[in-house]
């Protein structure tokens, strides 16, 4: 095992541990291969995560290189994971170790400072007046470009809420998402983050919607407008829930560091294709991941004033009547649930509200 109590050398290697070397072509036992891979990944991760705390040194002198080395010797990383490491660590034990060091006073100051920084990250308590002010001035209703939906919802999708489109195949769920993305990027001049789980994103449909919205013919001005709209739509292909979490956490970081642009709409088409595969057994892990996904989407919507729009398919219910997938737990997650229906006999489509915060009850 590496001795983390010693200072790393100039190349970042721990002096008492070196990855095992091998000759070219020599087969490596699996245990040794995993050890080498873990060591390389740890070095790469440490190198990548050192920068943030070095920037903090300028404002907090007690969090210097000596303090960072002390933390590393107790398994506390120096980057963005430091907060989590501190929260799960025995702080009394950490403080006791610090008091045994020659620079104990400064190390204790560093621990106190880190805890103070963590404390500032907590959301402050808010009262009813502040909540009302937030609702009036920041939680606006934004049109989608789909007249039926906008009339049904009193103007459109509300900022800070998670809205779900439910419907069977070919009920226009994806078309509504593409139209909303086009409208937000064109009319609201905002950034749209589009998570595509089934390769259904279509630039051709976006171009058609933009042409209708701007009344531009195929001209130079129309092409420039389309180019601007497509630039404002950031599409990510995600095919499992962990890939979605990765994109959402990167988005959250960019929004917090003000690198995410003016994101006003986040679309996941479809959320059920990511969650359904992990609900196939009796294990509670799948439901926990589903709840975490819902919490993160609602957190992004509320804290960063974003409209979140997701799609969900239907499954067979009692007496053969279709019902939304993902069960009762997910039903309680969404703020608004719209049902898109299609009558294949006369090729008509309809929209109805299954759940809305302004409704006393819903079915």
């Amino acid at each position: 095992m590496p001795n983390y109590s010693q200072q790393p050398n100039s190349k970042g290697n721990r002096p008492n541990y070196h990855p095992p070397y091998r000759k070219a072509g020599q087969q490596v036992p699996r245990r040794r291969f995993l050890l080498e891979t873990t060591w390389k990944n740890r070095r790469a991760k440490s190198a990548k995560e050192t920068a943030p705390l070095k920037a903090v040194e300028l404002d907090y002198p007690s969090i210097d290189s000596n303090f960072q080395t002390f933390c590393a010797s107790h398994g506390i990383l120096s980057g963005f994971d430091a907060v989590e490491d501190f929260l799960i660590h025995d702080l009394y034990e950490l403080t006791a170790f610090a008091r045994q060091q020659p620079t104990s006073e400064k190390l204790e100051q560093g621990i106190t400072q880190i805890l103070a920084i963590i404390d500032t990250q907590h959301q402050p308590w808010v009262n009813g007046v502040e909540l009302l002010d937030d609702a009036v001035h920041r939680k606006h209703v934004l049109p989608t470009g789909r007249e039926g939906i906008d009339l049904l919802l009193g103007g459109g999708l509300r900022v800070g809420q998670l809205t779900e489109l439910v419907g069977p195949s070919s009920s226009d769920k994806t078309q509504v998402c593409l139209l909303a993305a086009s409208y937000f990027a064109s009319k609201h001049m905002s950034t749209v983050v589009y998570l595509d789980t089934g390769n259904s994103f279509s630039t051709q449909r976006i171009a058609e919607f933009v042409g209708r919205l701007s009344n531009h013919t195929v001209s130079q001005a129309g092409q420039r407008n389309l180019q601007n709209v497509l630039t404002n739509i950031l599409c990510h292909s995600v095919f499992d829930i962990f890939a979605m979490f990765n994109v959402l956490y990167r988005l959250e970081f960019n929004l917090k560091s003000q690198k995410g642009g003016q994101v006003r709409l986040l679309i996941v088409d479809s959320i059920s294709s990511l969650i359904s595969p992990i609900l196939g057994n009796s294990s509670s892990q799948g439901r926990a991941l589903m709840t975490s996904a819902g919490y993160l989407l609602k957190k992004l919507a509320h804290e960063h004033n974003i409209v979140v729009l997701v799609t969900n398919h239907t499954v067979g219910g009692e007496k053969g009547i279709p019902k939304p997938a993902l069960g009762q737990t997910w039903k309680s997650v969404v703020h608004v649930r719209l049902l898109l229906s299609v009558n294949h006999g006369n090729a008509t489509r309809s929209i109805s509200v299954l759940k809305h915060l302004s409704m006393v009850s819903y079915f």
Side-chain angles (χ1 to χ4, degrees):
M1 291 292 293
N3 182 0
Y4 289 113
S5 64
Q6 299 190 41
Q7 292 279 355
N9 61 27
S10 59
K11 294 184 178 180
N13 293 320
R14 299 288 170 179
N16 285 0
Y17 178 78
H18 299 281
Y21 292 97
R22 63 183 184 275
K23 296 179 181 179
Q26 180 181 352
Q27 188 174 3
V28 183
R30 179 171 176 79
R31 182 182 180 87
R32 181 185 296 180
F33 172 77
L34 293 174
L35 182 61
E36 286 188 58
T37 304
T38 303
W39 175 253
K40 290 176 182 177
N41 289 343
R42 187 181 183 91
R43 282 187 58 193
K45 187 173 184 180
S46 298
K48 182 175 69 173
E49 294 185 339
T50 302
L53 271 189
K54 286 189 177 297
V56 174
E57 285 184 53
L58 300 176
D59 297 320
Y60 307 102
S62 57
I63 308 177
D64 54 12
S65 58
N66 180 57
F67 178 78
Q68 294 174 41
T69 303
F70 169 75
C71 290
S73 69
H74 292 277
I76 298 175
L77 299 176
S78 59
F80 301 116
D81 292 334
V83 172
E84 181 179 346
D85 290 339
F86 263 94
L87 291 176
I88 64 176
H89 210 86
D90 188 334
L91 296 180
Y92 293 102
E93 180 182 274
L94 189 67
T95 303
F97 279 116
R99 289 172 179 168
Q100 299 173 12
Q101 305 301 315
T103 56
S104 59
E105 184 176 351
K106 196 166 185 179
L107 290 175
E108 287 187 71
Q109 290 175 359
I111 294 173
T112 303
Q113 187 61 70
I114 287 290
L115 293 176
I117 294 173
I118 293 173
D119 190 57
T120 61
Q121 302 303 312
H122 295 166
Q123 291 294 317
W125 292 94
V126 293
N127 57 38
V129 174
E130 292 170 322
L131 289 172
L132 177 61
D133 180 73
D134 179 62
V136 171
H137 295 98
R138 284 174 286 276
K139 300 300 188 286
H140 305 293
V141 172
L142 300 177
T144 65
R146 182 76 173 252
E147 186 177 354
I149 292 179
D150 293 342
L151 287 174
L152 195 62
L153 298 180
L157 303 175
R158 184 169 293 277
V159 171
Q161 290 187 356
L162 171 57
T163 300
E164 179 187 55
L165 302 175
V166 178
S169 178
S170 302
S171 59
D172 278 359
K173 299 188 297 296
T174 295
Q175 299 306 309
V176 173
C177 291
L178 293 172
L179 175 58
S182 304
Y183 197 91
F184 271 68
S186 176
K187 297 298 184 180
H188 300 310
M189 301 298 292
S190 58
T191 300
V192 176
V193 177
Y194 198 114
L195 274 59
D196 179 17
T197 70
N199 286 328
S200 57
F201 183 83
S202 171
T203 54
Q204 182 178 354
R205 290 294 289 161
I206 294 289
E208 293 175 6
F209 289 135
V210 172
R212 297 177 193 173
L213 294 171
S214 60
N215 294 321
H216 279 304
T217 57
V218 181
S219 62
Q220 190 173 1
Q223 290 300 318
R224 283 199 304 269
N225 184 49
L226 175 60
Q227 188 65 37
N228 292 334
V229 170
L230 291 175
T231 301
N232 287 337
I233 301 176
L234 308 178
C235 184
H236 300 268
S237 295
V238 293
F239 301 111
D240 61 65
I241 194 169
F242 302 104
M244 183 187 73
F245 276 126
N246 184 41
V247 173
L248 294 181
Y249 282 127
R250 280 191 287 128
L251 173 62
E252 182 181 33
F253 174 76
N254 289 336
L255 291 171
K256 286 182 177 180
S257 59
Q258 299 180 343
K259 295 178 181 179
Q262 191 180 9
V263 177
R264 300 301 297 272
L265 177 62
L266 169 62
I267 296 174
V268 184
D269 181 29
S270 77
I271 190 74
S272 55
S273 66
L274 301 179
I275 295 177
S276 293
I278 63 175
L279 296 178
N281 51 49
S282 58
S283 172
S284 61
Q285 183 180 10
R287 296 190 180 278
L289 287 171
M290 177 177 66
T291 304
S292 297
Y295 167 77
L296 182 54
L297 289 170
K298 293 169 72 172
K299 181 171 181 279
L300 288 169
H302 176 72
E303 293 185 0
H304 301 285
N305 297 314
I306 296 174
V307 172
V308 176
L309 180 65
V310 303
T311 64
N312 187 5
H313 67 274
T314 55
V315 295
E318 295 182 4
K319 299 180 180 179
I321 301 175
K323 66 177 183 178
L326 305 183
Q328 293 295 317
T329 302
W330 180 257
K331 178 182 179 180
S332 65
V333 169
V334 300
H335 295 107
V336 178
R337 171 174 273 181
L338 303 177
L339 175 63
L340 278 63
S341 304
V342 55
N343 186 326
H344 294 286
N346 54 19
T348 58
R349 288 170 170 78
S350 60
I351 306 172
S352 57
V353 179
L354 296 182
K355 176 182 178 181
H356 198 286
L357 292 181
S358 63
M359 299 173 64
V360 177
S361 62
Y362 58 91
F363 301 94

